[in-house]
Amino acid sequence: WVEQDPKEILNSVYECVEKTCEKLKQLNINIANIRAIGVTNQRETTVVWDRTTGEPLYNAIVWLDLRTQSTVERLLKRIPGKNKTFSKFKTGLPLSTYFSAVKLRWLLDNVEEIRKAVKDGRAMFGTIDSWLIWSLTGGKNGGIHCTDVTNASRTMLFNIHSLEWDPELCKFFDIPMEILPKVRSSSEIYGLMVCFPVFKSGALTGVPISGCLGDQSAALVGQMCFQDGQAKNTYGTGCFLLCNTGQKSVFSEHGLLTTIAYKMGRDKPVFYALEGSVAIAGAVVRWLRDNLGIAKSSQEVEKLAAEVGTSYGCYFVPAFSGLYAPYWEPSARGIICGLTQFTNKNHIAFAALEAVCFQTREILDAMNKDCGIPLNQLQVDGGMTNNKILMQLQSDILCIPVVKPSMPETTALGAAMAAGAAEGVGVWSLNPGDLTAVTCERFEPQINPEESEYRYARWKKAVMKSMGWETSEGSNGKPK
C-alpha cells in the first residue's frame, strides 16, 4: 500500500509558492512580474474529495500501489478471453494496477464515505493536478474541476482519439461520469489563483494557472522533444522513456504504452508518445545501500563501480517486483549471476549500474522496432543523471550519444513552458524555430559495438533465468 495525504501535498504547494516569492524578493525581482503558473504531477495517483467541504474523503492512492491486484483479477474475469489489452486501441493502455480507474474502483468498493458522497452528488475525482487546480482556484468556493489530456490519458477511462471520457469504459469500471473532471488542453487558462490566508504576501492572487502536464509529458516538453522521433529518458526510482510520435498514435507490438504527449492549446493538435516503463532504476542503488549495506550513499556506489570499471562477467537483473516493459512478467525475481571467487562488491555495484542501462536499451530496441526510425541520440534527465559513470555506460551500451541538459529539472521547466505559452498569457512561443538551444553535456560511446553487443546478449540470457521464479506459492515458499 502506497498512499499520500492530499492536504499535505496542497500545503507543500502553498509553502513552495511562499518561499519562491521570498527568494525572488531577495533577488530584487518584483513578484508582479509573475505572469502565469504551471502545474505538473505524478500521474495516475488518485484522489476523491467532497465538493461541499473541500476535504479529501480518503488518502490519495499512489501510482505504484498494488492493493488493486484483486480488483484487476476480478475485472479480467469479465473480459472475453481475459484479454488484458481489451481497451488498447481506445486508451493505449493494458489493464493493470498502475492506472487510475482501478484505484478509483477500489475506493468505491472499500470506502463507505466515498460511496455515500457519490450517492449524494458531493464526490469529485481527480489526479493530483485536478486536486491542486481546484484547490488553488477557490476550492469549495467556485474552484475549477479540470484535468489536462496527458493526465486523462493515464486513467483508462479516456479515449485518446476523440479526447473525451469513454461512456463504455466508465460503464465497464462502473464509475459515475459526473464525478470526472472536465478535460482541457495542456496550455490554456484554467482559472485564476485565489487569495489564501496562508499567503502572508498575498502572493500570486489573480495570476492565471495556465499550464498542466503529467510529469513524464512535462519532461518531454522541458527537453524540447517537439519533433516526431525525439525521445527522453527520465531516471528516477524507475525509468520512463518517452518518444514523440507526432500527430499519429503508434500502437506497440513490443510491450510499450501509447499515451498523449501534449496538446499545446485549445485549438492546437494533439501529439502522441510511445512510453516504456522500467520499475527499478534508482531503487537498485538504494537497495545496495539500505539492504546490502555495501555503500553509505549513492555517490559511493558510483565510486565503487569506478574503481573496477567492469562487472567482470557478473550480471544483475533487479526484477524485485517482476519485470515491466517490454516483458510485463510478474513472475520474475531479482538475480545476480556469473559470480566467481574473484567477484567483489565493486563488481556488483558496477553490474547494478549496468542493469539500469541494459533495461533502457531493451526499451529503446522495442521503440526502434515500433517506430521504424532508430534514435540517433538519447536525451536524459532525472536525479540519477548526476552519476557520470552511469551516463558513460548508457552511451556505451546504446552505441549512441547520451545528452544531458545543464538544467536537470526538466519536468518543472516543461510545466512553466506550457503555462507561459498559453493564449491570453503569451510570454513566449514554443515554435521549434523560436527556441534557444540549451547547454548540454554529451557522453559519446567509447567501446566498440561488438563488445557492447556481447555484454547485452549475456544480460538477456540473465533476464531469461530470472523469469518464472514465482509460482502460485507464497513468496517464502509457503503455499498461499
Side-chain angles (χ1 to χ4, degrees), residues 166-183:
D166 188 281
E168 279 178 18
L169 286 168
C170 290
K171 203 170 154 195
F172 173 76
F173 287 104
D174 192 16
I175 284 165
M177 291 184 76
E178 58 275 13
I179 73 172
L180 304 176
K182 187 174 185 310
V183 183

Side-chain angles (χ1 to χ4, degrees), residues 310-315 337-340 343 347 351 354 454 458:
T310 169
S311 71
Y312 199 73
C314 162
Y315 288 83
C337 53
L339 302 173
T340 67
T343 312
H347 300 122
E354 228 176 6
Y454 172 75
R458 293 279 288 245

Side-chain angles (χ1 to χ4, degrees), residues 35-110:
R35 294 281 301 276
I37 297 164
V39 173
T40 179
N41 58 295
Q42 279 185 350
R43 303 168 306 168
E44 299 97 17
T45 299
T46 300
V47 197
V48 180
W49 67 93
D50 186 321
R51 70 167 76 233
T52 54
T53 63
E55 293 293 312
L57 293 164
Y58 193 81
N59 275 343
I61 303 185
V62 179
W63 63 277
L64 41 67
D65 184 287
L66 290 177
R67 78 185 71 178
T68 49
Q69 189 55 55
S70 54
T71 310
V72 169
E73 282 158 15
R74 196 178 75 245
L75 291 166
L76 267 178
K77 287 188 184 127
R78 292 176 33 207
I79 303 167
K82 290 192 172 181
N83 175 15
K84 270 186 186 167
T85 58
F86 79 109
S87 73
K88 175 174 161 178
F89 294 107
K90 271 185 182 179
T91 64
L93 312 171
L95 182 60
S96 152
T97 56
Y98 187 13
F99 307 110
S100 312
V102 289
K103 300 177 195 302
L104 184 49
R105 185 65 258 151
W106 188 93
L107 287 166
L108 291 164
D109 290 339
N110 292 283

Side-chain angles (χ1 to χ4, degrees), residues 342-472:
F342 180 70
T343 312
N344 62 29
K345 64 181 182 180
N346 299 63
H347 300 122
I348 290 172
F350 192 93
L353 296 183
E354 228 176 6
V356 175
C357 302
F358 286 133
Q359 290 182 107
T360 299
R361 162 92 192 250
E362 290 195 292
I363 286 177
L364 208 63
D365 282 1
M367 263 186 195
N368 288 341
K369 284 179 199 148
D370 283 327
C371 292
I373 332 159
L375 270 194
N376 53 12
Q377 64 171 34
L378 181 65
Q379 292 172 232
V380 300
D381 56 79
M384 281 190 98
T385 58
N386 295 327
N387 184 326
K388 288 195 162 39
I389 297 279
L390 181 74
M391 294 297 96
Q392 185 54 55
L393 257 179
Q394 188 67 85
S395 175
D396 289 346
I397 286 164
L398 297 178
C399 305
I400 57 173
V402 165
V403 179
K404 176 195 164 186
S406 51
M407 206 290 282
E409 294 294 340
T410 48
T411 306
L413 177 62
M417 286 165 67
E423 194 183 332
V425 178
V427 286
W428 49 59
S429 140
L430 297 185
N431 295 334
D434 299 329
L435 296 169
T436 49
V438 180
T439 53
C440 290
E441 196 174 350
R442 270 176 87 86
F443 297 86
E444 302 276 350
Q446 288 179 355
I447 62 174
N448 66 37
E450 290 75 32
E451 192 197 331
S452 181
E453 289 309 313
Y454 172 75
R455 277 156 61 180
Y456 183 48
R458 293 279 288 245
W459 154 263
K460 290 190 103 151
K461 198 170 151 187
V463 170
M464 293 338 268
K465 293 192 189 308
S466 78
M467 288 195 196
W469 194 263
E470 271 303 310
T471 57
S472 57

Side-chain angles (χ1 to χ4, degrees), residues 17 34-39 136 188 190 192-193 204 207-212 415-416 418-420 425:
V17 168
I34 297 174
R35 294 281 301 276
I37 297 164
V39 173
L136 295 169
E188 61 177 88
Y190 312 109
L192 307 181
M193 271 285 261
L204 309 193
V207 175
I209 298 178
S210 55
C212 178
V425 178

Side-chain angles (χ1 to χ4, degrees), residues 296-319:
K296 288 189 180 64
S297 65
S298 19
Q299 287 76 22
E300 206 179 321
V301 172
E302 181 179 1
K303 217 168 105 225
L304 288 172
E307 279 168 18
V308 283
T310 169
S311 71
Y312 199 73
C314 162
Y315 288 83
F316 189 162
V317 182

